[in-house]
Amino acid sequence: MTLPGTTDAHPRHTFRSVFPVLALCWLAVFFDGMDVNIYGAVMPHMLEDDGLGLTPSTAGTIGSWTTFGMLIGALTAGNITDWLGRRPILVSSVTLFSLGSALCAMAGTTTLFGAGRFIAGLGLGGLMPLCLAMVMEFAPPRRAALTTGLLMTSYHAGGMAATVLGLTVAPSAGWRWVFWAGVLPAVIAVPLLTKLMPESPAVLLSRGHREQADRVADRYGLPRPTQVASPAAGARGRLDAVRALFRPESRWATPLLWLASFCGLLLVYGVSTWLPTMMKASGYGMTSSVSFLLVINAGGIVGMLIAGRAADRFGPVRVSAIWFTLTAAGALLLRSHLPLGLTYAVVALTGVWLFSAQVMVYATSNSLYRDSERATGLGWVTGVGRAGAVVGPSLVGTLASNGSESWGFTAFALAGVTGAIAIALVPAAGRLGSRARTGPVPTTAASDA
């Protein structure tokens, strides 16, 4: 039976045909955002818990343990997903950060709590690049940036949920119950992902399952995968995929993407971890300080929708560079103690720019790398960028321990400017690499022309 709007028995490749995949990835990233933001939402309460013994310096170090785990998780997942399959790694990632949250809820010492955050980081680091790779593979043609933006709204919805928990549960029941809420992904998302998430057709083909790959592609309206688009199997394939990131067309653009991702993730995790504490140190009340995390994530949702549409029209590089610059301006404004209403407005606008600047780095990598390199490319862009996520919380923690939290806003502004320069140079780097090309290969789309 031919479906309406199709020319054969297979559905057209539209948002509707791939909605189940987008919805499942949205749910997984929602819990990712909730887990990442939980720590920042309850940190002011944890610092007041004498039994735990958390100090600003130790809090920053633990934030870096989390993001160091993310770095390892992102690099590992990006390099084994095409070997073991994306669905099993997704399920494992969700399970890991749920277990880490449970350990945090039970921790009686900062060391055990830090171990829990590190374990959670392993799962969180693997989840994001996999969901991005899946969404980009299944996204309708010419809608990759918009689809990526839609996916990332879930991260900020999760961040808002974490903030609500921090505002409502932590003051009355204690911060530990907020971390117990982080176990929900294992109960809700894992069964759904296991039962409903399809495997990547390209990965299935690389493992020799041609018929199964074609069935999945037909079911979701995707083009049937070819061996050219399929990642190579085995250890040799993993090494070749990494080498391919430095082929002539991308050898100069790849390091620039890594630098932009470093700056973007320094901003994302530095702000997510420390914004409430920094605002409290600036003289705002406890409730207002935690509420700023809710507002900046609400701005992030709006920003994803705007940036996705703008990037599909003007290119992700232009949008990312402008958004990074505006983020730097917002960070500098927040150094001043503005009237409360104006501060909320600045925080919301900064959220519009900050988070989607980083997501447009991911969208740029999607256009730069070929299908067979996408998961590895995203894994390395996010993985190397996690070094920024390690530096951000630790840097602000060091400043906070010296009573210099306001300088954290200056550090965020410098990261924004550096990220803008790095991503803006990607098109020129792609053109420089193309001149060195010795044979015909698929044209890169690093340029926004």
Side-chain angles (χ1 to χ4, degrees):
M1 176 179 177
T2 302
L3 299 175
T6 64
T7 57
D8 55 29
H10 306 311
R12 294 178 58 192
H13 191 189
T14 64
F15 276 117
R16 183 176 181 180
S17 67
V18 300
F19 177 77
V21 175
L22 302 183
L24 287 168
C25 288
W26 196 98
L27 178 66
V29 175
F30 171 87
F31 285 121
D32 181 305
M34 189 177 81
D35 193 284
V36 168
N37 285 273
I38 276 177
Y39 186 38
V42 301
M43 187 186 295
H45 298 281
M46 295 179 67
L47 289 170
E48 295 177 353
D49 183 352
D50 295 333
L52 184 65
L54 188 69
T55 65
S57 178
T58 304
T61 300
I62 290 175
S64 294
W65 289 356
T66 309
T67 50
F68 183 65
M70 290 179 177
L71 188 154
I72 296 174
L75 293 179
T76 302
N79 284 284
I80 68 173
T81 180
D82 295 329
W83 175 33
L84 299 177
R86 293 181 187 173
R87 181 172 60 186
I89 304 301
L90 272 175
V91 171
S92 299
S93 296
V94 174
T95 303
L96 267 178
F97 71 73
S98 295
L99 289 175
S101 189
L103 185 59
C104 289
M106 296 184 292
T109 64
T110 55
T111 300
L112 190 58
F113 181 86
R117 293 306 291 163
F118 175 77
I119 292 171
L122 292 174
L124 294 168
L127 179 72
M128 186 66 75
L130 291 182
C131 285
L132 286 166
M134 288 291 287
V135 164
M136 289 177 181
E137 179 178 359
F138 280 75
R142 297 180 298 278
R143 288 294 181 266
L146 175 59
T147 307
T148 303
L150 289 173
L151 171 68
M152 293 304 295
T153 61
S154 62
Y155 176 91
H156 301 292
M160 293 174 70
T163 307
V164 170
L165 290 171
L167 287 170
T168 58
V169 176
S172 57
W175 60 266
R176 295 181 186 275
W177 282 102
V178 180
F179 280 99
W180 279 119
V183 181
L184 289 176
V187 178
I188 298 173
V190 166
L192 291 174
L193 290 170
T194 302
K195 184 177 181 179
L196 301 176
M197 177 65 81
E199 185 54 87
S200 158
V203 171
L204 288 170
L205 181 60
S206 73
R207 298 165 68 185
H209 305 305
R210 158 65 73 179
E211 292 184 2
Q212 189 176 354
D214 289 345
R215 283 198 301 270
V216 173
D218 293 344
R219 179 180 179 185
Y220 293 94
L222 277 62
R224 291 186 172 184
T226 63
Q227 289 294 345
V228 173
S230 177
R236 174 71 178 273
R238 308 284 74 71
L239 182 60
D240 288 345
V242 175
R243 288 174 176 167
L245 304 183
F246 294 91
R247 58 191 170 87
E249 295 86 353
S250 56
R251 66 172 49 151
W252 302 112
T254 289
L256 287 170
L257 282 177
W258 289 357
L259 177 59
S261 184
F262 175 95
C263 295
L265 289 176
L266 184 154
L267 286 164
V268 168
Y269 289 97
V271 169
S272 296
T273 302
W274 281 104
L275 182 63
T277 302
M278 290 169 67
M279 299 306 281
K280 186 172 182 289
S282 296
Y284 297 95
M286 174 74 82
T287 300
S288 295
S289 297
V290 177
S291 296
F292 288 131
L293 197 58
L294 180 70
V295 171
I296 202 168
N297 277 289
I301 292 177
V302 175
M304 293 300 170
L305 298 175
I306 295 173
R309 288 191 174 275
D312 280 333
R313 181 174 181 180
F314 301 108
V317 168
R318 287 191 183 96
V319 173
S320 184
I322 294 171
W323 261 231
F324 268 123
T325 303
L326 292 172
T327 297
L332 288 177
L333 283 173
L334 290 175
R335 279 205 65 178
S336 305
H337 189 92
L338 305 170
L340 184 60
L342 182 57
T343 302
Y344 273 118
V346 172
V347 169
L349 287 173
T350 303
V352 170
W353 306 316
L354 187 159
F355 300 103
S356 48
Q358 171 64 17
V359 173
M360 291 304 105
V361 174
Y362 297 147
T364 302
S365 69
N366 176 66
S367 64
L368 179 68
Y369 300 124
R370 298 174 295 194
D371 290 346
S372 58
E373 304 157 4
R374 184 171 294 129
T376 301
L378 279 169
W380 278 87
V381 168
T382 57
V384 174
R386 295 295 178 189
V390 171
V391 170
S394 179
L395 173 63
V396 181
T398 300
L399 293 172
S401 66
N402 295 321
S404 305
E405 290 92 339
S406 63
W407 283 99
F409 292 116
T410 303
F412 293 153
L414 290 173
V417 171
T418 304
I421 294 171
I423 195 68
L425 290 175
V426 167
R431 289 192 293 270
L432 179 65
S434 294
R435 294 194 190 104
R437 187 174 58 196
T438 57
V441 297
T443 303
T444 65
S447 173
D448 282 328

